[in-house]
């Protein structure tokens, strides 16, 4: 039996897309419409699905999008040149390099090459630094989406104990910074953390981003906690599931996100929001 209220990311993302659409529809006719270019290197099937979803969401929100698929054996120089051309193009407001990249390419080198004002993923060191110094510019989409979901629960983060499990540059670290900025006391756990159980059981807000199916059990959750599951894992059966064991966790939590339909749709909605923000800056 589920005790927790479900945080429906799908519905919240749809609202956000609709409000972005309204703003784009009022876009000044003499200015280039917000435009996002997604660069995909090779044919990774999961990446292809993600890119397709991004392009579809852009279409729905009235944002122009371009999917540039480059051969898997593209050289780093070839990609650098491609990014440089997009940096110079005033019609392009957002540039995204779809990860993962083929092994011979350096993701950090290519992300660093993107103009920080067009870095809609929020991964450029200048954007990371701005977030860490409390002056956020373009913020990574998944953590930004998590903050919107938390807002919708009405939960007060000021003084709350927030625990983030997983310390990646893409989710964990920026998530910790956003929670700190909202007034929470934050613990960031990694693979070396001792007694993870004890940390999790203290959390008023628990965010799981480890990439391991069902890793967080109900026994690790404080009664009444808000649980946000960032993980998305495909089981052998083909079913998608998160990093949280939903069955046991939902009996303890007050609010919980499902997988799929929780954080995932928000990530794409925040990408549209960042593209719009980047386009606004050019006024």
């Amino acid at each position: 039996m589920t005790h927790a209220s479900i945080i429906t990311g799908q519905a919240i993302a749809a609202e956000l897309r609709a409000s972005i659409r309204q703003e784009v529809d009022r876009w000044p006719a003499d200015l280039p419409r917000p435009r996002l270019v997604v660069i995909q290197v090779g044919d990774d099937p999961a990446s292809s699905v993600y890119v397709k979803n991004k392009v579809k969401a852009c279409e729905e929100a009235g944002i122009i999008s371009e999917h540039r698929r480059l051969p898997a054996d593209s050289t780093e120089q070839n990609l650098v040149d491609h990014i440089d051309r997009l940096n110079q193009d005033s019609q392009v407001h957002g540039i995204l390099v779809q990860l993962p990249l083929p092994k011979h390419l350096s993701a950090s080198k290519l992300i660093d090459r993107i103009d920080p004002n067009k870095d809609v993923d929020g991964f450029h060191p200048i954007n990371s630094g701005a977030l860490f110094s409390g002056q956020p510019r373009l913020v990574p989409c998944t953590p930004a989406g998590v903050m919107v979901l938390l807002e919708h629960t009405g939960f007060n983060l000021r003084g709350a104990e927030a625990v983030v499990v997983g310390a990646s540059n893409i989710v964990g670290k920026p998530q910790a910074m956003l929670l700190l900025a909202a007034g929470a006391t934050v613990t960031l756990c990694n693979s070396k953390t001792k007694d993870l159980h004890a940390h999790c059981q203290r959390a008023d807000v628990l965010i799981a981003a480890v990439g391991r199916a069902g890793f967080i059990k109900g026994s690790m959750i404080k009664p009444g906690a808000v649980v946000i599951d960032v993980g998305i894992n495909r089981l052998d059966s083909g079913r998608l599931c998160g990093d949280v064991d939903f069955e046991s966790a939902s009996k303890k939590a007050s609010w919980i996100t499902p997988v799929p339909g929780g954080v995932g749709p928000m990530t794409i909605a925040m990408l549209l929001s960042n593209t719009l923000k980047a386009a606004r800056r050019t006024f």
Side-chain angles (χ1 to χ4, degrees):
M1 181 179 126
T2 302
H3 299 298
S5 301
I6 306 296
I7 310 170
T8 51
Q10 211 131 21
I12 296 164
E15 276 172 35
L16 192 54
R17 286 198 305 273
S19 74
I20 290 168
R21 175 85 213 201
Q22 284 176 341
E23 186 171 340
V24 174
D25 284 346
R26 294 193 302 268
W27 204 255
D30 57 332
L31 291 173
R33 269 170 95 88
R35 181 189 292 263
L36 171 69
V37 175
V38 181
I39 300 171
Q40 181 185 354
V41 187
D43 295 306
D44 178 72
S47 289
S48 296
V49 171
Y50 290 139
V51 174
K52 194 172 134 209
N53 290 342
K54 287 168 184 172
V55 168
K56 185 170 169 250
C58 280
E59 211 169 279
E60 210 178 296
I63 290 172
I64 300 167
S65 69
E66 265 183 73
H67 177 192
R68 300 200 181 177
R69 201 193 287 265
L70 302 179
D73 58 1
S74 297
T75 64
E76 209 159 78
Q77 192 53 51
N78 182 263
L79 272 138
V80 163
D81 293 344
H82 206 97
I83 291 167
D84 285 348
R85 284 195 295 277
L86 293 172
N87 284 339
Q88 298 304 316
D89 188 343
S90 60
Q91 305 278 320
V92 173
H93 304 104
I95 304 167
L96 185 155
V97 175
Q98 183 65 41
L99 303 176
L101 290 165
K103 298 259 185 290
H104 68 285
L105 298 170
S106 158
S108 61
K109 187 175 172 183
L110 295 173
I111 287 162
D112 290 4
R113 194 74 185 194
I114 296 171
D115 176 346
N117 293 314
K118 297 187 179 192
D119 163 42
V120 285
D121 257 340
F123 296 158
H124 192 285
I126 285 179
N127 288 326
S128 303
L131 174 59
F132 278 66
S133 62
Q135 301 164 331
R137 290 156 44 96
L138 292 170
V139 174
C141 302
T142 300
V146 167
M147 297 308 285
V148 175
L149 293 178
L150 287 171
E151 213 175 286
H152 272 259
T153 67
F155 183 84
N156 182 12
L157 285 167
R158 294 191 85 68
E161 288 270 354
V163 173
V164 181
V165 185
S168 72
N169 290 334
I170 291 174
V171 179
K173 289 181 196 171
Q175 190 72 72
M177 290 300 117
L178 289 169
L179 289 163
L180 267 179
T185 300
V186 183
T187 303
L188 185 56
C189 300
N190 58 45
S191 57
K192 314 289 185 296
T193 297
K194 290 178 181 164
D195 202 354
L196 183 65
H197 253 79
H199 287 296
C200 291
Q201 283 170 332
R202 226 182 42 241
D204 300 312
V205 174
L206 180 62
I207 297 173
V210 276
R212 286 168 68 181
F215 182 70
I216 304 285
K217 309 290 183 209
S219 60
M220 299 165 80
I221 291 163
K222 177 182 178 177
V226 178
V227 178
I228 306 280
D229 190 350
V230 176
I232 185 145
N233 311 284
R234 194 174 287 282
L235 301 174
D236 293 340
S237 64
R239 193 170 70 84
L240 289 177
C241 76
D243 292 347
V244 175
D245 176 36
F246 187 87
E247 198 57 38
S248 60
S250 58
K251 294 187 175 107
K252 297 278 283 292
S254 60
W255 290 91
I256 191 167
T257 56
V259 176
V263 176
M266 291 305 297
T267 299
I268 292 184
M270 298 318 285
L271 172 65
L272 303 180
S273 175
N274 274 352
T275 304
L276 188 57
K277 197 186 282 184
R280 265 194 231 118
R281 280 227 189 101
T282 61
F283 285 15

